[in-house]
């Protein structure tokens, strides 16, 4: 049987799309989830992968936390303030609530987190965690976008790290097939339909993406969350794109 993995693209607040996709997998694709060897992700994608691997029963709570964080950031945005270090503190608090005490054991070799070494600019995929704290630090490092999320890179195993999305926004694992999920229209297995006028695609941080105004808008929304109504629409889009994938590949049940 082919080894199957699932990878979630770095997406900032568009992580709500991933939550919708995972809900579809839980509801309609238990066979697929049961066949997975590992999950991977960058930034918000790594957070969703962590919830799927260690606390799949906390999906609804993740959605509520994400909406709450988006409300906070939106309010600051109106005053012209970027999230800064507060975002890292809030993400830490959410993970503290979501991840079970044995999360690091559940995540060992089953969760691959994309992070970027600040000094060398090289990508690392972390998949072994000595403690729950170490797992949470790797997840925070994966989300740390300099300046936007404060001025202090995350220290992990004695080195400084920044957002994995800079160097690998959609990790593909070396063994087997990696099913890819992205809220940006592109060539991924689960992604929005490309509706742009041009059929030009490009590779950015290891991820193929279509050149379109819609993707430019989505990039902005990944950092500056759109209205609650639009967030709900993105969640539904993730759900229905994942259902389409399950039907296409005969995983639907
Ligand atoms: C010509 C240009 C075309 C444009 C094309 C677009 C290309 C796409 C390239 C990829 C961009 C990736 C954007 C990622 C932005 C980023 O990394 O921002 C920093 C990280 C942020 C803002 C992370 C936020 C994370 C959140 C809100 C996580 C929330 C949660 C989950 C997702 C699950 C668990 C619960 C919790 C912690 C609330």
């Amino acid at each position: 049987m082919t080894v199957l993995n699932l990878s979630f693209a770095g997406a900032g607040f568009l992580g709500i799309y991933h939550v919708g996709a995972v809900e579809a997998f839980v509801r309609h694709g238990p066979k697929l989830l049961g066949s997975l060897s590992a999950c991977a992700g960058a930034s918000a994608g790594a957070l969703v992968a962590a919830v799927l691997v260690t606390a799949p029963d906390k999906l609804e709570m993740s959605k509520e936390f994400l909406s709450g964080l988006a409300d906070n950031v939106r309010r600051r945005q109106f005053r012209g303030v970027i999230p800064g270090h507060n975002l890292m503190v809030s993400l830490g608090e959410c993970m503290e609530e979501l991840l079970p005490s044995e999360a690091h054991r559940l995540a060992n070799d089953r969760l691959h987190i994309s992070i970027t070494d600040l000094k060398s600019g090289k990508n690392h995929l972390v998949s072994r965690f000595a403690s729950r704290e170490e797992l949470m630090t790797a997840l925070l490092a994966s989300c740390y976008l300099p300046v936007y999320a404060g001025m202090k890179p995350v220290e992990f195993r004695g080195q400084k790290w920044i957002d994995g999305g800079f160097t690998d926004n959609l990790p593909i694992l070396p063994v087997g097939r990696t099913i890819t999920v992205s809220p940006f229209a592109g060539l991924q297995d689960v992604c929005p339909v490309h509706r742009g006028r041009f059929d030009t695609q490009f590779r950015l941080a290891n991820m193929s993406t279509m050149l379109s105004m819609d993707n430019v808008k989505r990039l902005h929304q990944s950092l500056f969350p759109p209205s609650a109504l639009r967030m709900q629409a993105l969640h539904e889009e993730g759900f229905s794109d994942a259902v389409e994938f399950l039907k296409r590949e005969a995983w639907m049940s």
Side-chain angles (χ1 to χ4, degrees):
M1 229 165 81
T2 326
V3 170
L4 277 183
N5 311 297
L6 187 56
S7 183
F8 299 92
F13 286 91
L14 299 196
I16 195 75
Y17 177 97
H18 290 323
V19 175
V22 172
E23 273 179 29
F25 289 144
V26 169
R27 207 175 302 168
H28 299 297
K31 268 192 286 170
L32 169 68
L33 289 184
S35 313
L36 288 180
S37 291
C39 290
S43 198
L47 291 176
V48 174
V51 172
L52 179 58
V53 167
T54 70
D57 55 316
K58 299 269 175 63
L59 263 182
E60 189 53 42
M61 203 192 239
S62 301
K63 188 184 169 200
E64 282 160 22
F65 283 173
L66 210 164
S67 304
L69 280 182
D71 289 343
N72 284 342
V73 171
R74 218 180 286 120
R75 269 196 292 275
R76 293 170 72 88
Q77 202 178 311
F78 280 129
R79 292 184 274 127
V81 187
I82 54 165
H85 184 64
N86 282 347
L87 178 69
M88 301 304 275
V89 173
S90 305
L91 289 177
E93 288 168 355
C94 290
M95 282 186 287
E96 194 63 62
E97 292 272 332
L98 291 166
L99 303 188
S101 56
E102 75 286 11
H104 55 298
R105 278 189 280 274
L106 294 168
N108 271 337
D109 297 324
R110 298 210 62 226
L111 175 66
H112 298 253
I113 303 174
S114 171
I115 55 177
T116 304
D117 182 348
L118 180 62
K119 205 163 161 199
S120 68
K122 288 215 168 91
N123 183 266
H124 282 249
L125 278 185
V126 192
S127 57
R128 299 289 302 175
F129 312 95
S131 64
R132 180 171 177 267
E133 284 61 42
E134 212 183 58
L135 166 63
M136 294 206 294
T137 309
L139 287 168
L140 280 183
S142 189
C143 289
Y144 173 71
L145 185 62
V147 183
Y148 173 87
M151 303 305 286
K152 209 167 162 278
V154 177
E155 287 207 26
F156 173 70
R157 295 180 186 159
Q159 274 167 265
K160 292 189 168 68
W161 302 87
I162 59 172
D163 199 320
F166 281 111
T167 44
D168 190 351
N169 201 45
L170 186 57
I172 305 295
L173 299 183
V175 179
R177 174 184 178 194
T178 302
I179 297 164
T180 50
V181 184
S182 165
F184 300 95
L187 300 179
Q188 289 66 43
D189 296 298
V190 178
C191 70
V193 176
H194 169 59
R195 297 182 208 284
R197 261 197 295 159
F198 309 107
D199 245 1
T200 315
Q201 43 149 307
F202 63 100
R203 268 188 98 71
L204 192 66
N206 237 6
M207 184 171 108
S208 292
T209 316
M210 301 306 291
L211 186 66
S212 67
M213 266 322 285
D214 196 38
N215 269 349
V216 174
K217 266 191 223 154
R218 283 172 191 254
L219 184 58
H220 182 264
Q221 292 171 340
S222 71
L223 296 174
F224 303 102
S227 68
L229 214 63
R230 172 77 183 133
M231 293 285 283
Q232 181 56 31
L234 286 159
H235 176 267
E236 282 162 21
E237 189 180 30
F239 187 97
S240 58
D241 289 345
V243 166
E244 279 313 307
F245 167 80
L246 290 171
K247 284 186 190 157
R248 207 166 56 233
E249 304 233 351
W251 285 106
M252 191 84 180
S253 56

